[in-house]
Amino acid sequence: MASQVTGQGIGASLIRKEDDRFMRGRGGFVGDIRPAGTLDVAFLRSSFAHAKLRGIHIPSSIRSRVFIAEDLGGVMPIRADTALPGFKSSVQPILATGKVRHVGELVAMCVAPTRAEAEDIAAQIEVDYEELPAVHDMLAARDPGAALVHEHWSDNLYLTTEIDVNFEAAKAKAKASVRRELRTARQVMSPIEGRGLIAEWNNRLGQLIVTSSTQQSHIVRTGIAECLGLDEGKVRVIAPDVGGGFGYKGILLPEEVALSWGTRKLNRPLRWLEDRRENLTAGADCREHHYVLTAYADDEGRLLALDCVATVDAGAYSAYPFSACLEAGQIGSILPGLYDFGHYRCRTYSVATNKPPILPYRGVARTGVCFALEVTLDALARELKQEPSQLRFKSMVRPEQMPFDNIAKRHFDSGDYPEALRRCLAAVDLDAVRERQRRGERDGRLVGLGIAMYSEQAGHGTSVYASWGIPFVPGFEQCHARFTPDGGLELRVGSHSHGQGHETTLSQVAHELLGVPHEQIKLVHGDTAETPYSTGTWGSRCMIVAGGAVAEACDQLAIRVKRIGASLLQAKPEDVRLEAGEVVANSGRISVAEIARTWYRRPQELPVHVDPSGLEVTAGYKAKRDTGTFSYAAHAAVVAVDPATGEVEILDYVVVEDGGVLVNPMIVDGQIYGGAAQGIGTALYEEMAFDGRGQPLGSTLADYLLPGPTEVPDIRVFHMETPSPYTRFGQKGIGEGGAIAPPAAITNAVNDALKGLGCELLDLPVTPRRIVETVAKACREKSAR
Amino acid sequence: MKPVAFDYERPRTLAEAVRLLSTNADAKILAGGQTLGPMLNLRLVQPTLIIDITRIAELTRVEEDGEAVTLGACVTHASIEDQKIVDPSNGFLAEVAHGIAYRAVRTRGTIGGSLAHADPAADWLSCLMALGAEVLLTGARGKRRIGVADFMRGALDTELEPDEIMDGVRIPKLSKKARAGFAKICRKSGEFADAIGAVLHDPERGVLRLVAGATQGRPIIIDPATCPIDMNFPPPLGPVRKKLEQSGLAADVYELNIHMAAIARALDKAHAQ
Amino acid sequence: MTAITLTVNGQSVNAQVTPRTHLADFLREHLLLTGTHIGCEHGICGACTVEINGEIARSCITYAVACDGAEVRTIEGFDDDDLMARLRQAFSEAHALQCGYCTPGMMIAARDLIRRKGGLTGAQIRTEMSGNLCRCTGYVGIVRAIERVMLARPTLSLPTASPRKPQLGPAPGPQPSGSTAAETKAQSATVRLKDASAGAKTGTTPRLSAGSAKKRRRIKVETGSVEASGGATRLTQAFVLEHPRVEVWRLMADAEAVARCIPGMHLDGPLVDGRAAGRMEIALGPIKASFAGEGLVVSFPNEFRQVITGAGGDRKSGSSASGEVAYRLREEVGPAGEDLTRVEVELSYSLTGPLAQFSRSNLVRDLVSRVGENFAQNLDARLSMPDGAEIAPARLGAASLMWRVAVDRIRAGVSKILGRPPS
């Protein structure tokens, strides 16, 4: 393989191609683009969570610069219906129609030469609201008689699902059980760059061009065309440099539809850049789950069964394309974790509330599920007076069982889960921590150790997503690859990078197979006019599916290059090989660049029976099975808790991760560090509270706390490498994993620290106030006994 | 969000600034803008006129007499952090300044702006109350001087009259043997404090003062006059806790605990000097 | 528009800007220096960090007009800087960036740190860099990159401090007379007098103690626990007035008189059937709001109890407030056998809209409880001066909040937000 010569293919920690432009301030983000004549947009958003719109009063002096629902004739609302039976459909208007259903919902679009002036216009509009009771709590929303988010529904449930695998039979066998009620907070994904877009109508092309900070330009294109009733060919969507996504930009936005409509109406480019206030007050759209989970075990602590009722606060509308039910759908299938047991029941509710529509955030439901399961397992271990890791070893799927079909029909492809935990315990030095706990701390703090494990299904395909019912089931990914006349290589993929470094990693795949120097490999992505259709960048799928498609395309190019090369070297095609960018035969060698020059500029030298398809191909990737790869990890946190102030210091944080074959280990580490930092945010800091009227209680980053450099420790990452049997290079998806386990590991560590005080934290985030109040309550109860 | 439209004036003298302020109803004073800027950008504050006082030379003065050092109101946190001023506090002010927000905020945020805004979580309020500093106010009707403790009435509310500008802060010089300590408890570095403890023990000047700051309103001042402690250092924590309970923190165990912890840490730091 | 002259990346720039244009927007939209990124516009995330006169600053909360005469340096101005070149290499090798959006601000802050300090530990570097948020990298690579360059610091030729005289205030600070464009304008500007009516309406900051108030007895107000539920914040207060209950009730039954004791409260006209339109003005520091709406007073004379509810909207902020004050008078006997009245007040309020959407609600609580205290003082003063004429309309900080004026935008004059009928 080429990389054995250059050391720059699969497995190389290659410096990123993207870096230089970003470090010189020369990235091209959406806000950096301003076509001539652009007008800025400010939206007037609902200040109420739930209200009837009695009237919108727009002074006549500004009427021509304000657009409300009644102006948008013929524009269709956004619908994202799942295929699962019993789903209740929501209709998300582009601009509020009749009613508003969450704070921040779009009411009017205001247009002016600058954003400031557009905001001046918005401030002149008076909206006459009739406030309705806000459905602000997902549990209360399930109660009979609760106010209805969608008044024509019979209740507030998008969907209820139930899995039951011989559950009742477990109860007789169980010798121990623990039941816990756990809750995760509503979060804001908070990429540092907000959403934003520019829409312009190009008369020459007869085409709407939308430049949007999105993870999935092709899906946005389909959605805009559907809502505006345009032929899809008349819509082009370009994703420029995207300043972080994490799922926040994996959606068709009402703003995208509104500006797309508005630019035709006004015949001017329109630009909207989300600001932080909009992001926080209208974009708190992920993670809020509630669990009642019971774990049953035999008298040695082997897991026999799980019984769960999970509720997901899915917000006011079913968001496009992943719907309101992806999270609940995932919960049932991933709750069993890495464990092998025989009985299982899980009921899920996807609940409509007067909050922003839920979107899948890095880790999607796994973060909540891992938290619920792993915290409950620790409670079980405490109940049985066992070391939490020992309890897990007894029930974990063993390497000799691989590949393994679990109780929820997940097909684990490969790995050694117990070994990951063993290595993790060794790295964190369990015995030393236990000894330190016995000794106690001079400053009165309490030390605790927590572990958590998960697996992360990634790159899974059609059958899995179809079973979750999402409206946009991914199929097969393609890459278009071509040599340029100077021997350079262009790769075109429909996914996009918002920090993952695809320009580098996909180049590594191509370099591995074709040996073209990296500086001559150019990735084109994120532009619907330039790339094959793709559902985009999400679900840790790109290294598997886009990487796989690049490999397929390069393989086919290699065949063609070798045929031409063989002919030019007067060798038989089967006697040549491709090596470090050259076709090599016994008779000599010729560079790929020379072959490209021959193809384009001296075709008279080509063999007579040359394949006329030339040096460009579009090839697709089909996994050996589409059940996906399962990367996995063991995380361990050591914390010191001050029971008086509730302060938590992370003393050590260890990750032992198996992501299969790593294409670029440096970038993989970066994904783990970054994911873990977000997980620490989920664990300790991030929470968008809503009051009883559905008002979000935060509009700045001083209210909603993102972890900064002092909140994230020097995370230690160790790798195992069990190739996936189903992917091209044995690679697995790892983009989300870092964010999955920290809430569970850290909460377990805090609970381990506090176990002597007889209390547990079960709500995220584990804030100082929650800790102090929980400790105080435990002390009161103790003294009352 | 962007601010509402406003007019902008940049007077060169304090008198001119006072005149602008007293003749424009919805005028706001702008110094470094580190607090006002976000409020303007959120349209929480909608002034018709912004009076930028950073060009007034008098407001960056540093004056020293036998008892105190006076800093102009526009002296930045960074100037104090970098010890560009005459220091009355044996390095204490620089240490406090270093802990305010972030460097890029400290280079423009000013000591006067921080005091005038009177956010209970502001470091200077608690610190300067402990030191017994005074603020100097200039208005249409003349100049006056008020102790920082009396200057703040409540959360975001001060004795400043609508036509008055704070022009400086007078900070008493600490004795050589004085011990001062400052500690705060924040959810994360640089963000609003949830609790502040500030301590001064200056036996030569007969001062022992503890301040519990970042409460919901005025910081709580604890000294031998208001609390059964004497001049011995460190003071026992029992009476201090009692005083905090009596001052409205009893109902909230978290608030009480973190304020006690902040004071204890400030005492530790002062003790260590 | 205001004319400004400044230096950006070594080039002199003359421009006309509106005063509300912040430096980041000016750099990006006017000068097309788009490397300065906007992440929050609240001075928190650090993406917009630039240098002003050699010190790092937030360009999103610094206004372009304030930079008249300043030297500004953006990420584009560091291309040929040796220290920045070192940092670029270290950042790339340590994988200190992913999406690249925070990177320009991060690098400018990192360079400034290394310029100013050496020999820091990893933990110290983290603290020093805490003003720059990154959502992608988890900071591991960033800290490593800075550590690496800082280790090499003794061998680097560090940027020398600017030769200008040290500034103690925000840059650019006082300058020679007439040196810059805006200065000239300021000098020629005449003092403007706003029209008198506007001044009269909002001319003074509403505050707790009216400036004209006579010396008053200080009434001690006990404030009970505060709780938040159902979107409302509730608190109780109690105080004792040195007047017999009948007398207090006589005053309290006169809702208009009571309204005059509530700081910030203004009724548009007399009560009709217990209802009146009016507004509640509050000031929370520089934040001012005027909630216009309607109030309703319901009396229960047999119980010496009254319930006042109100709701209104603040046009400027797009916020609304609603609130309820319920009080009951109880007879009490003083130490010398005199008749006293204990007033027990239950307050509740809730907000919607921008003014509600903050986490630091305790600042509002402080105001509300102080409104209650002020109300008690005013009541006492009025009782002591039966004609009450000299008591100026009470003013104060957060008064309107306690009145809980609900927020809908109410069309001018036609509101009927509130309402339980009198029972």
Side-chain angles (χ1 to χ4, degrees):
Chain A
M1 281 198 177
S3 64
Q4 289 161 354
V5 181
T6 66
Q8 294 182 346
I10 304 282
S13 284
L14 198 67
I15 295 299
R16 299 198 323 162
K17 295 178 167 194
E18 292 90 340
D19 289 352
D20 192 68
R21 71 173 185 274
F22 292 135
M23 293 189 296
R24 292 176 189 274
R26 291 187 173 82
F29 297 93
V30 64
D32 304 341
I33 304 163
R34 190 178 177 93
T38 296
L39 298 174
D40 275 313
V41 168
F43 286 99
L44 177 66
R45 294 173 179 272
S46 173
S47 55
F48 283 96
H50 196 193
K52 277 188 193 156
L53 280 177
R54 284 194 298 222
I56 302 174
H57 310 285
I58 307 166
S60 56
S61 59
I62 56 169
R63 186 63 187 88
S64 64
R65 286 169 285 163
V66 174
F67 302 94
I68 57 176
E70 67 188 42
D71 299 322
L72 269 58
V75 177
M76 300 298 290
I78 296 172
R79 286 181 86 121
D81 294 345
T82 86
L84 298 178
F87 174 76
K88 296 193 194 77
S89 179
S90 70
V91 174
Q92 181 180 15
I94 305 306
L95 298 175
T97 307
K99 209 174 147 177
V100 289
R101 293 188 179 84
H102 64 89
V103 170
E105 188 165 354
L106 306 182
V107 174
M109 176 168 67
C110 308
V111 173
T114 65
R115 172 69 180 245
E117 292 164 288
E119 289 176 10
D120 294 346
I121 291 173
Q124 293 175 57
I125 302 169
E126 289 185 46
V127 183
D128 187 2
Y129 296 103
E130 179 183 330
E131 189 177 6
L132 299 169
V135 181
H136 65 95
D137 178 86
M138 59 179 151
L139 299 182
R142 278 171 41 196
D143 291 342
L148 294 176
V149 176
H150 296 281
E151 50 287 351
H152 56 287
W153 292 8
S154 54
D155 53 29
N156 284 316
L157 299 175
Y158 287 104
L159 186 70
T160 304
T161 66
E162 181 147 2
I163 297 172
D164 190 333
V165 185
N166 198 18
F167 171 70
E168 285 298 333
K171 279 188 174 169
K173 292 192 256 177
K175 294 286 185 285
S177 71
V178 295
R179 178 176 181 276
R180 290 293 182 273
E181 183 174 353
L182 308 104
R183 196 162 186 145
T184 62
R186 199 160 253 261
Q187 287 184 242
V188 189
M189 291 181 238
S190 311
I192 304 297
E193 180 206 41
R195 293 164 174 161
L197 74 137
I198 298 161
E200 58 183 314
W201 184 265
N202 184 309
N203 282 307
R204 178 178 63 81
L205 300 172
Q207 204 175 35
L208 171 73
I209 300 175
V210 176
T211 305
S212 182
S213 184
T214 181
Q215 299 171 217
Q216 34 188 202
S217 46
H218 291 273
I219 282 187
V220 168
R221 178 199 196 199
T222 300
I224 289 173
E226 279 175 8
C227 288
L228 294 185
L230 284 173
D231 294 339
E232 214 157 319
K234 288 187 176 164
V235 182
R236 175 182 179 185
V237 176
I238 303 167
D241 280 333
V242 172
F246 320 118
Y248 191 65
K249 298 170 181 174
I251 178 179
L252 169 67
L253 294 168
E255 290 91 342
E256 285 166 333
V257 179
L259 268 75
S260 295
W261 174 86
T263 186
R264 288 191 80 183
K265 170 87 180 168
L266 294 167
N267 205 22
R268 293 279 288 273
L270 297 181
R271 180 175 79 162
W272 167 72
L273 301 175
E274 179 186 64
D275 67 25
R276 190 57 60 185
R277 208 187 102 73
E278 291 179 290
N279 166 247
L280 290 168
T281 56
D285 55 16
C286 59
R287 281 283 192 268
E288 195 174 4
H289 295 189
H290 175 272
Y291 297 86
V292 178
L293 177 60
T294 310
Y296 295 88
D298 67 15
D299 45 12
E300 288 174 41
R302 263 186 298 271
L303 199 58
L304 293 175
L306 291 178
D307 184 20
C308 179
V309 178
T311 308
V312 176
D313 184 330
Y317 300 105
S318 182
Y320 188 107
F322 292 114
S323 88
C325 304
L326 175 63
E327 303 239 349
Q330 273 198 354
I331 288 172
S333 62
I334 60 185
L335 185 68
L338 306 179
Y339 306 102
D340 180 13
F341 55 90
H343 307 273
Y344 180 43
R345 185 166 70 182
C346 183
R347 177 179 299 159
T348 72
Y349 298 98
S350 300
V351 181
T353 60
N354 291 117
K355 295 182 191 169
I358 196 165
L359 300 184
Y361 172 33
R362 196 178 202 171
V364 199
R366 301 176 192 98
T367 303
V369 165
C370 177
F371 171 71
L373 175 63
E374 295 285 309
V375 170
T376 303
L377 288 182
D378 263 34
L380 181 63
R382 278 193 294 278
E383 173 87 14
L384 296 173
K385 301 192 169 30
Q386 293 187 6
E387 183 65 49
S389 52
Q390 293 306 316
L391 181 106
R392 285 171 173 78
F393 281 128
K394 287 172 189 161
S395 301
M396 210 175 280
V397 174
R398 299 182 308 280
E400 62 270 22
Q401 292 175 285
M402 292 292 179
F404 178 80
D405 292 300
N406 84 347
I407 194 164
K409 302 198 181 98
R410 298 298 103 178
H411 179 81
F412 297 162
D413 57 339
S414 65
D416 186 342
Y417 302 159
E419 179 62 15
L421 182 53
R422 278 191 290 273
R423 290 190 192 187
C424 188
L425 295 171
V428 81
D429 201 346
L430 172 68
D431 294 339
V433 176
R434 293 293 180 227
E435 176 55 30
R436 179 174 175 176
Q437 286 178 306
R438 270 189 292 275
R439 282 201 313 268
E441 301 294 301
R442 254 186 232 148
D443 57 13
R445 293 194 299 175
L446 300 169
V447 167
L449 183 148
I451 53 174
M453 296 191 72
Y454 68 89
S455 68
E456 176 191 4
Q457 189 179 19
H460 34 311
T462 308
S463 67
V464 178
Y465 283 97
S467 76
W468 286 336
I470 69 167
F472 231 111
V473 176
F476 305 99
E477 199 79 1
Q478 293 86 41
C479 168
H480 176 267
R482 95 171 147 215
F483 278 108
T484 52
D486 58 358
L489 179 68
E490 291 177 338
L491 303 171
R492 291 178 157 76
V493 296
S495 58
H496 195 53
S497 178
H498 38 279
Q500 299 90 339
H502 292 172
E503 289 168 48
T504 305
T505 51
L506 294 180
S507 183
Q508 286 179 261
V509 172
H511 178 80
E512 177 80 29
L513 298 174
L514 296 174
V516 177
H518 282 291
E519 55 276 16
Q520 281 184 274
I521 301 175
K522 171 73 184 160
L523 179 71
V524 178
H525 56 166
D527 180 342
T528 61
E530 299 262 7
T531 63
Y533 202 95
S534 166
T535 53
T537 298
W538 49 273
S540 302
R541 65 197 291 270
C542 286
M543 212 52 248
I544 298 167
V545 299
V550 168
E552 287 297 323
C554 289
D555 281 347
Q556 293 191 23
L557 278 182
I559 291 168
R560 295 185 196 178
V561 165
K562 280 195 284 188
R563 276 201 197 128
I564 297 171
S567 163
L568 294 174
L569 292 170
Q570 300 185 333
K572 289 182 187 159
E574 59 270 28
D575 291 342
V576 300
R577 61 189 189 279
L578 191 58
E579 194 180 275
E582 293 181 318
V583 173
V584 180
N586 289 336
S587 53
R589 48 180 61 215
I590 180 168
S591 73
V592 168
E594 192 54 33
I595 293 168
R597 271 191 289 277
T598 306
W599 168 264
Y600 288 104
R601 305 178 64 166
R602 301 192 301 273
Q604 66 273 23
E605 294 175 13
L606 294 169
V608 180
H609 298 295
V610 70
D611 179 350
S613 307
L615 296 185
E616 55 186 286
V617 302
T618 299
Y621 171 72
K622 186 171 188 295
K624 289 166 199 153
R625 32 178 314 158
D626 77 349
T627 50
T629 63
F630 285 78
S631 60
Y632 58 93
H635 286 217
V638 181
V639 303
V641 183
D642 185 330
T645 62
E647 290 162 296
V648 175
E649 182 189 355
I650 300 174
L651 303 173
D652 193 11
Y653 199 97
V654 170
V655 178
V656 176
E657 162 96 16
D658 188 344
V661 173
L662 307 184
V663 174
N664 184 321
M666 177 189 82
I667 287 178
V668 169
D669 283 350
Q671 291 296 311
I672 296 168
Y673 295 138
Q678 292 183 6
I680 288 168
T682 301
L684 297 174
Y685 299 100
E686 295 180 41
E687 174 173 30
M688 181 57 78
F690 285 75
D691 73 10
R693 291 167 80 180
Q695 292 288 315
L697 300 179
S699 48
T700 74
L701 293 175
D703 305 302
Y704 186 87
L705 300 179
L706 298 180
T710 47
E711 285 66 57
V712 181
D714 215 341
I715 297 157
R716 299 192 291 143
V717 176
F718 302 89
H719 292 286
M720 293 167 56
E721 187 172 310
T722 313
S724 172
Y726 305 134
T727 59
R728 173 62 192 258
F729 302 102
Q731 77 272 37
K732 296 184 174 189
I734 50 81
E736 299 168 84
I740 294 172
I746 291 169
T747 305
N748 279 339
V750 170
N751 287 342
D752 185 50
L754 299 179
K755 66 189 171 202
L757 301 174
C759 56
E760 282 178 345
L761 275 294
L762 299 171
D763 288 349
L764 292 179
V766 178
T767 60
R769 178 177 279 283
R770 288 196 170 107
I771 290 174
V772 169
E773 290 180 348
T774 302
V775 168
K777 185 161 171 266
C779 292
R780 278 199 307 276
E781 284 166 4
K782 206 170 179 180
S783 61
R785 278 199 297 271
Chain B
M1 283 178 83
K2 312 295 181 187
V4 297
F6 50 76
D7 291 332
Y8 175 81
E9 294 289 355
R10 182 189 292 150
R12 306 178 65 80
T13 65
L14 196 50
E16 174 71 2
V18 167
R19 190 149 54 99
L20 286 165
L21 191 58
S22 57
T23 50
N24 289 276
D26 282 326
K28 278 300 300 174
I29 297 286
L30 176 78
Q34 302 301 293
T35 299
L36 189 60
M39 289 182 157
L40 286 169
N41 286 357
L42 285 162
R43 296 196 176 203
L44 290 173
V45 180
Q46 304 192 358
T48 53
L49 173 67
I50 286 287
I51 304 166
D52 181 341
I53 56 171
T54 60
R55 307 301 168 105
I56 301 171
E58 188 183 345
L59 297 184
T60 49
R61 72 192 186 280
V62 178
E63 292 165 354
E64 185 182 6
D65 60 31
E67 286 151 19
V69 171
T70 298
L71 302 179
C74 283
V75 170
T76 62
H77 315 315
S79 295
I80 299 170
E81 174 187 14
D82 297 346
Q83 302 200 287
K84 290 183 185 170
I85 56 152
V86 179
D87 180 14
S89 71
N90 310 330
F92 180 58
L93 290 176
E95 181 198 320
V96 172
H98 179 247
I100 296 174
Y102 320 109
R103 177 70 187 185
V105 168
R106 298 195 291 271
T107 57
R108 298 193 71 77
T110 64
I111 189 168
S114 169
L115 292 171
H117 183 59
D119 187 319
D123 303 57
W124 286 134
L125 278 174
S126 297
C127 165
L128 294 175
M129 281 187 196
L131 297 187
E134 297 168 302
V135 292
L136 311 176
L137 312 181
T138 299
R141 283 163 291 181
K143 292 182 178 286
R144 57 186 180 128
R145 211 161 104 172
I146 311 178
V148 174
D150 296 323
F151 170 71
M152 181 185 182
R153 290 176 171 161
L156 312 189
D157 192 16
T158 69
E159 287 291 326
L160 269 171
E161 290 293 334
D163 62 358
E164 274 183 319
I165 294 174
M166 183 191 299
D167 69 74
V169 187
R170 186 180 150 85
I171 306 167
K173 289 183 178 172
L174 304 191
S175 315
K176 282 265 163 6
K177 286 186 183 159
R179 288 182 282 208
F182 187 86
K184 56 181 176 175
I185 292 178
C186 306
R187 289 290 305 283
K188 56 175 287 200
S189 296
E191 277 314 319
F192 290 111
D194 293 314
I196 291 177
V199 172
L200 173 66
H201 182 234
D202 194 347
E204 287 174 53
R205 294 167 55 238
V207 179
L208 172 62
R209 203 179 292 119
L210 284 59
V211 177
T215 61
Q216 72 174 20
R218 298 176 56 174
I220 300 160
I221 296 178
I222 300 161
D223 57 24
T226 57
C227 180
I229 52 175
D230 58 23
M231 281 298 292
N232 286 324
F233 193 86
L237 289 178
V240 173
R241 188 182 182 92
K242 188 127 209 153
K243 171 75 180 170
L244 293 187
E245 285 172 353
Q246 287 162 353
S247 305
L249 296 181
D252 187 329
V253 60
Y254 175 66
E255 290 289 324
L256 180 62
N257 282 9
I258 61 174
H259 283 90
M260 275 307 295
I263 285 190
R265 288 175 199 180
L267 285 169
D268 280 349
K269 285 191 189 180
H271 203 43
Q273 279 172 2
Chain C
M1 288 284 183
T2 304
I4 56 172
T5 301
L6 66 166
T7 306
V8 179
N9 298 334
Q11 306 265 314
S12 179
V13 174
N14 292 295
Q16 294 280 333
V17 293
T18 58
R20 64 167 151 176
T21 302
H22 58 58
L23 178 60
D25 270 348
F26 174 71
L27 294 167
R28 295 174 51 78
E29 306 283 324
H30 292 240
L31 304 184
L32 307 182
L33 292 169
T34 54
T36 299
H37 292 160
I38 293 175
C40 70
E41 293 183 292
H42 306 141
I44 298 169
C45 78
C48 69
T49 304
V50 298
E51 274 190 8
I52 303 176
N53 285 21
E55 297 283 359
I56 57 171
R58 304 291 205 222
S59 60
C60 72
I61 51 173
T62 302
Y63 296 94
V65 281
C67 297
D68 185 38
E71 288 173 19
V72 174
R73 193 175 189 187
T74 71
I75 189 68
E76 292 92 341
F78 288 98
D79 262 4
D80 301 323
D81 180 80
D82 290 342
L83 181 50
M84 197 61 105
R86 284 275 190 155
L87 273 167
R88 279 196 296 269
Q89 189 187 347
F91 264 56
S92 204
E93 287 171 0
H95 193 27
L97 64 154
Q98 291 182 22
C99 80
Y101 197 79
C102 73
T103 306
M106 191 69 74
M107 297 195 72
I108 290 177
R111 179 184 171 282
D112 178 68
L113 176 61
I114 294 170
R115 175 182 74 80
R116 290 184 295 114
K117 296 188 177 182
L120 302 188
T121 64
Q124 288 170 320
I125 290 172
R126 286 173 182 276
T127 302
E128 295 288 342
M129 291 299 294
S130 62
N132 288 73
L133 296 176
C134 169
R135 193 58 160 165
C136 294
T137 64
Y139 307 99
V140 175
I142 293 168
V143 174
R144 282 182 195 162
I146 295 172
E147 275 176 332
R148 206 170 291 173
V149 179
M150 199 174 268
L151 269 180
R153 190 175 185 268
T155 67
L156 304 176
S157 62
L158 294 169
T160 48
S162 135
R164 62 176 66 235
K165 151 168 167 278
Q167 285 282 347
L168 296 182
Q175 301 196 341
S177 166
S179 64
T180 63
E183 213 78 62
T184 317
K185 181 183 171 260
Q187 283 177 331
S188 63
T190 50
V191 179
R192 291 160 313 158
L193 289 165
K194 294 281 153 143
D195 82 88
S197 62
K201 212 163 57 187
T202 52
T204 49
T205 309
R207 48 181 40 209
L208 278 173
S209 54
S212 61
K214 303 269 183 296
K215 278 225 162 164
R216 298 174 182 177
R217 203 169 30 224
R218 178 146 175 83
I219 306 291
K220 186 171 160 37
V221 178
E222 308 156 25
T223 297
S225 64
V226 180
E227 58 181 60
S229 67
T233 302
R234 289 167 223 286
L235 58 105
T236 57
Q237 291 185 324
F239 52 89
V240 174
L241 297 172
E242 294 179 7
H243 303 273
R245 182 164 73 170
V246 277
E247 220 174 276
V248 178
W249 179 250
R250 198 178 307 130
L251 172 64
M252 297 294 250
D254 177 357
E256 289 164 50
V258 172
R260 281 195 290 275
C261 294
I262 299 172
M265 185 76 190
H266 305 267
L267 295 183
D268 293 346
L271 247 68
V272 179
D273 296 336
R275 287 170 190 276
R279 67 179 192 279
M280 192 71 178
E281 288 179 359
I282 63 149
L284 182 55
I287 304 167
K288 292 177 189 171
S290 176
F291 295 97
E294 197 186 55
L296 170 68
V297 181
V298 183
S299 293
F300 304 89
N302 297 340
E303 304 166 35
F304 294 90
R305 190 161 75 86
Q306 201 168 58
V307 180
I308 306 170
T309 48
D314 174 48
R315 286 242 26 196
K316 267 193 174 176
S317 67
S319 297
S320 59
S322 61
E324 181 179 287
V325 182
Y327 59 81
R328 180 191 291 270
L329 310 182
R330 295 190 187 281
E331 288 182 314
E332 222 170 76
V333 181
E338 68 273 30
D339 287 338
L340 308 178
T341 305
R342 180 178 169 81
V343 184
E344 293 173 349
V345 187
E346 285 175 38
L347 283 167
S348 72
Y349 63 90
S350 74
L351 282 169
T352 62
L355 292 179
Q357 294 160 4
F358 289 93
S359 60
R360 299 180 69 208
S361 54
N362 57 353
L363 298 182
V364 176
R365 285 179 198 167
D366 179 57
L367 273 171
V368 173
S369 64
R370 288 189 301 129
V371 168
E373 289 169 16
N374 195 241
F375 174 62
Q377 310 296 334
N378 288 340
L379 271 183
D380 183 58
R382 189 162 285 272
L383 285 163
S384 310
M385 285 180 287
D387 62 340
E390 319 57 318
I391 297 187
R395 309 195 153 218
L396 64 54
S400 58
L401 296 176
M402 101 178 183
W403 222 239
R404 223 20 175 196
V405 194
V407 173
D408 257 0
R409 268 347 164 73
I410 301 160
R411 270 187 271 160
V414 201
S415 58
K416 40 173 176 290
I417 299 252
L418 230 216
R420 253 169 317 168
S423 49

